[in-house]
Amino acid sequence: LEALERSGWYALKCGDTIQYIKSIELKVRVFNYYEDSLQIFKITKQVVSLYNKYGAPEKAAQALPIAIATKLQYHKYDEAQILMSIFENQSGYFDGNGNIIPRYSNYYACKAQYYLGIQELDSAEIYLKKLKEAGQELDAYQGLIDLYQKKEATDSVLYYCKLSEDARNIK
C-alpha cells in the first residue's frame, strides 16, 4: 500500500492523472487479498468516479471485476448485476457476440456464479462451459459441481468431482 501511495504521488507530480488513479485502483487487489469488502467497495467507487471525471469511462468499467466478485460472494445479486452490465457494456473487453477477450475469460466464472445464485441454471451451465473452453477447467468443474448439486444430479456431481480432482492434481 505504501508503494502504491508513493507511485500515485509521483504520477501526480509528473501530471499523469490516469496513472495516479491506477495506483489507487491497484489497492483493491491488496484489500481483496485481505478480504476487506468495505475497502474494496469504497476504493472501487472512488476509482470509478475519478476515471469518469477525467474522461476514461472504459477504464472505470474495467475497474469493476473484483467488486463484482465480492458482491456475488455476499449474494448481492441485484447490485452485482448492475456492475456486470456496466462492465460488459463499457469495458471494451467484449466482442459483438458478448464473448469476452480470452485474457479475461475468468469473468465467465462470475457470470456462472451470478446465474447459479438467481437460479437460472441453464444460463449458469452455458458460462461454465465457456469457462472450460477457455482453459479454466478447475473453476469450471467446481462450478459444475455446484450446478448439479442444485439439480440434485448425484451422478453428475460425482463425475465433476473426479474431473475437478484430476484438474487439481495437474496444476
Side-chain angles (χ1 to χ4, degrees), residues 49-102:
S49 176
L50 285 169
Y51 277 136
N52 284 325
K53 178 180 177 181
Y54 289 98
E58 191 171 274
K59 290 194 176 295
Q62 292 168 359
L64 295 175
I66 292 174
I68 292 168
T70 305
K71 294 282 186 191
L72 292 170
Q73 180 182 348
Y74 289 103
H75 309 287
K76 296 184 177 197
Y77 300 110
D78 291 339
E79 294 173 26
Q81 197 282 325
I82 292 167
L83 298 179
M84 291 166 72
S85 178
I86 294 167
F87 179 67
E88 292 169 20
N89 292 310
Q90 297 178 18
S91 68
Y93 289 164
F94 294 82
D95 66 17
N97 296 322
N99 297 311
I100 197 163
I101 57 176

Side-chain angles (χ1 to χ4, degrees), residues 147-166:
L147 172 78
Y148 287 113
Q149 283 177 332
K150 287 182 182 279
K151 287 185 172 186
E152 298 180 358
T154 308
D155 290 347
S156 294
V157 170
L158 293 173
Y159 175 74
Y160 286 108
C161 280
K162 172 69 174 129
L163 290 176
S164 177
E165 186 62 30
D166 291 346

